[in-house]
Amino acid sequence: MNIYGYIRVSTQEQNEDRQLDALQKVNVSAENIFMDKQSGKDFNRPHYRRLVKKLKPGDLLYIKSIDRLGRNYEEIQNQWRILTKEKGVDICVLDMPLLDTRRGKDLVGTFLSDIVLQVLSFVAENERSNIRQRQAEGIAAAKRRGVQFGRPSLPPPENFPEIVAAWEEGWISFQEALYRSGFSEATFYRRVRELRLLRKNK
């Protein structure tokens, strides 16, 4: 039997030490720990795929908590079935002792594990949905307060009206107008519209 561990953090900035410490306490060797720094929305993760290929019947996989495996209810259920039923691997979720397939392999034990897995998987996906909603609400509230998102808008150069006039009169090419203004094509046209509107309202 080989013992493996899987770690997932959502971003490059997040720290994996807590998960790593938990795996080391159950004596998972460093070479058998696989880690992805990626969202848990799906299982399209390079190191997770490598881990699944290495797993053999009778091996044991440790994870710190069910949301480290993933945050999609149906996909967690599907991966759990693939690992335990098709590949014959045991899984132990360290934060939830009931989710340890080595225990209670009788009908009642399996039934209880399935119920706990379904509840925790639902909670993981629900939390992911709540995070998305909170992010959207936070962005909307910030926009109402006037917070600008994205790259700051470049102000036009002082001689922008002269550049536009030269371009409109055919004295310079469009590419030359872009070069002199320092704008992209889309920004240049937007600034031209703003300038024409300003002229019209004077």
Side-chain angles (χ1 to χ4, degrees), residues 134-165:
R134 288 195 294 268
Q135 287 174 337
E137 290 172 351
I139 291 171
K143 285 182 175 179
R144 287 195 296 271
R145 295 195 304 271
V147 176
Q148 298 293 322
F149 292 89
R151 295 172 61 185
S153 179
L154 288 173
E158 291 184 4
N159 64 336
F160 187 65
E162 288 79 13
I163 295 172
V164 173

XYZ file of all heavy atoms in Angstrom, residues 134-165:
244
model
N -21.013 37.150 -3.025
C -20.422 38.219 -2.212
C -19.474 39.078 -3.040
O -19.431 40.298 -2.886
C -19.689 37.616 -1.003
C -20.616 37.047 0.065
C -19.884 36.809 1.363
N -18.869 35.781 1.252
C -19.069 34.490 1.506
N -20.275 34.070 1.876
N -18.101 33.621 1.413
N -18.724 38.432 -3.934
C -17.817 39.188 -4.798
C -18.599 40.134 -5.704
O -18.239 41.302 -5.863
C -16.967 38.234 -5.641
C -15.882 37.520 -4.852
C -15.163 36.480 -5.683
O -15.690 35.972 -6.671
N -13.955 36.132 -5.277
N -19.679 39.616 -6.306
C -20.487 40.440 -7.199
C -21.119 41.605 -6.452
O -21.150 42.743 -6.943
C -21.569 39.582 -7.866
N -21.631 41.328 -5.244
C -22.241 42.397 -4.447
C -21.201 43.430 -4.035
O -21.472 44.634 -4.022
C -22.911 41.796 -3.208
C -24.160 40.974 -3.537
C -24.698 40.231 -2.325
O -23.999 40.221 -1.282
O -25.793 39.651 -2.417
N -19.988 42.969 -3.695
C -18.915 43.885 -3.310
C -18.485 44.776 -4.455
O -18.271 45.986 -4.274
N -18.387 44.199 -5.656
C -18.014 44.982 -6.836
C -19.089 46.016 -7.150
O -18.791 47.176 -7.448
C -17.768 44.048 -8.044
C -16.488 43.228 -7.814
C -17.668 44.846 -9.346
C -16.274 42.135 -8.833
N -20.365 45.595 -7.082
C -21.466 46.517 -7.361
C -21.480 47.674 -6.362
O -21.670 48.840 -6.741
C -22.797 45.759 -7.325
N -21.260 47.353 -5.082
C -21.246 48.403 -4.054
C -20.077 49.362 -4.276
O -20.213 50.581 -4.121
C -21.159 47.774 -2.671
N -18.920 48.807 -4.652
C -17.744 49.649 -4.899
C -17.972 50.562 -6.098
O -17.582 51.744 -6.077
C -16.514 48.767 -5.123
N -18.612 50.043 -7.131
C -18.898 50.876 -8.310
C -19.843 52.018 -7.964
O -19.697 53.127 -8.474
C -19.484 50.011 -9.435
C -18.454 49.141 -10.136
C -19.076 48.351 -11.275
C -18.020 47.574 -12.038
N -18.616 46.763 -13.139
N -20.824 51.742 -7.088
C -21.746 52.805 -6.671
C -21.016 53.896 -5.907
O -21.422 55.061 -5.929
C -22.880 52.218 -5.822
C -23.893 51.410 -6.611
C -25.153 51.168 -5.796
N -24.902 50.359 -4.620
C -24.963 49.029 -4.605
N -25.241 48.371 -5.722
N -24.726 48.352 -3.487
N -19.921 53.512 -5.225
C -19.122 54.500 -4.497
C -18.125 55.207 -5.400
O -17.376 56.069 -4.946
C -18.363 53.826 -3.348
C -19.258 53.263 -2.258
C -18.443 52.945 -1.001
N -17.340 52.049 -1.274
C -17.415 50.722 -1.227
N -18.560 50.137 -0.914
N -16.362 49.969 -1.480
N -18.105 54.830 -6.672
C -17.221 55.490 -7.616
C -15.873 54.831 -7.795
O -14.980 55.386 -8.440
N -15.689 53.620 -7.215
C -14.416 52.922 -7.380
C -14.292 52.442 -8.816
O -15.227 51.852 -9.370
C -14.328 51.726 -6.401
C -13.044 50.926 -6.646
C -14.401 52.212 -4.965
N -13.152 52.707 -9.425
C -12.911 52.310 -10.804
C -12.170 50.980 -10.838
O -11.201 50.783 -10.111
C -12.073 53.384 -11.531
C -12.746 54.733 -11.633
C -13.970 54.701 -12.539
O -13.968 54.028 -13.568
N -15.007 55.416 -12.157
N -12.620 50.065 -11.686
C -11.961 48.777 -11.863
C -11.260 48.740 -13.208
O -11.636 49.434 -14.154
C -12.971 47.630 -11.772
C -13.536 47.463 -10.390
C -14.673 48.161 -10.004
C -12.926 46.635 -9.474
C -15.196 48.013 -8.734
C -13.445 46.489 -8.194
C -14.578 47.177 -7.835
N -10.236 47.916 -13.294
C -9.492 47.806 -14.542
C -8.389 48.831 -14.626
O -8.090 49.556 -13.674
N -7.767 48.898 -15.796
C -6.669 49.827 -15.989
C -7.170 51.268 -15.969
O -8.230 51.572 -16.506
C -5.987 49.550 -17.337
C -5.323 48.190 -17.406
C -4.848 47.875 -18.797
N -3.865 48.852 -19.259
C -3.364 48.837 -20.491
N -3.741 47.928 -21.361
N -2.463 49.747 -20.841
N -6.414 52.175 -15.334
C -6.833 53.579 -15.321
C -6.838 54.156 -16.730
O -5.990 53.827 -17.564
C -5.768 54.261 -14.447
C -4.595 53.348 -14.481
C -5.149 51.967 -14.625
N -7.813 55.023 -16.985
C -7.950 55.623 -18.313
C -6.843 56.655 -18.544
O -6.586 57.512 -17.685
C -9.325 56.285 -18.426
O -9.470 56.892 -19.681
N -6.181 56.543 -19.699
C -5.127 57.494 -20.031
C -5.733 58.819 -20.483
O -6.629 58.832 -21.330
C -4.247 56.939 -21.160
C -3.305 55.782 -20.806
C -2.654 55.255 -22.070
C -2.258 56.236 -19.812
N -5.277 59.940 -19.945
C -5.785 61.231 -20.418
C -5.224 61.524 -21.809
O -4.107 61.113 -22.142
C -5.238 62.221 -19.382
C -3.994 61.570 -18.855
C -4.266 60.096 -18.875
N -5.986 62.226 -22.638
C -5.462 62.566 -23.968
C -4.340 63.591 -23.849
O -4.310 64.396 -22.909
C -6.680 63.149 -24.680
C -7.562 63.643 -23.585
C -7.335 62.742 -22.422
N -3.404 63.585 -24.798
C -2.357 64.611 -24.777
C -2.962 65.999 -25.014
O -4.062 66.124 -25.561
C -1.437 64.190 -25.923
C -2.281 63.358 -26.818
C -3.268 62.659 -25.929
N -2.240 67.035 -24.576
C -2.761 68.399 -24.690
C -3.059 68.790 -26.137
O -3.966 69.578 -26.407
C -1.763 69.389 -24.076
C -1.661 69.260 -22.557
C -0.736 70.310 -21.957
O -0.250 71.175 -22.718
O -0.507 70.269 -20.738
N -2.278 68.252 -27.073
C -2.475 68.614 -28.482
C -3.392 67.626 -29.202
O -3.383 67.544 -30.431
C -1.128 68.695 -29.205
C -0.426 67.338 -29.256
O -0.690 66.466 -28.427
N 0.473 67.165 -30.228
N -4.194 66.877 -28.429
C -5.059 65.881 -29.059
C -6.034 66.510 -30.059
O -6.232 65.955 -31.157
C -5.825 65.094 -27.983
C -6.620 63.946 -28.530
C -5.997 62.855 -29.123
C -8.011 63.952 -28.473
C -6.727 61.799 -29.635
C -8.749 62.906 -28.978
C -8.108 61.818 -29.566
N -6.648 67.660 -29.766
C -7.533 68.264 -30.773
C -6.805 68.558 -32.094
O -7.386 68.372 -33.171
C -7.994 69.559 -30.100
C -7.905 69.270 -28.636
C -6.694 68.415 -28.495
N -5.539 68.999 -32.012
C -4.768 69.263 -33.227
C -4.462 67.963 -33.982
O -4.491 67.930 -35.213
C -3.459 69.977 -32.872
C -3.626 71.431 -32.442
C -4.098 71.570 -30.996
O -4.066 70.563 -30.251
O -4.509 72.688 -30.616
N -4.176 66.885 -33.226
C -3.919 65.579 -33.861
C -5.156 65.110 -34.611
O -5.081 64.667 -35.771
C -3.505 64.536 -32.798
C -2.167 64.911 -32.159
C -3.434 63.140 -33.413
C -1.785 64.041 -30.975
N -6.317 65.236 -33.956
C -7.570 64.806 -34.579
C -7.866 65.653 -35.815
O -8.271 65.126 -36.868
C -8.734 64.894 -33.567
C -10.071 64.606 -34.257
C -8.507 63.918 -32.417
N -7.662 66.945 -35.690
C -7.917 67.833 -36.833
C -7.024 67.475 -38.010
O -7.494 67.422 -39.158
C -7.701 69.287 -36.410
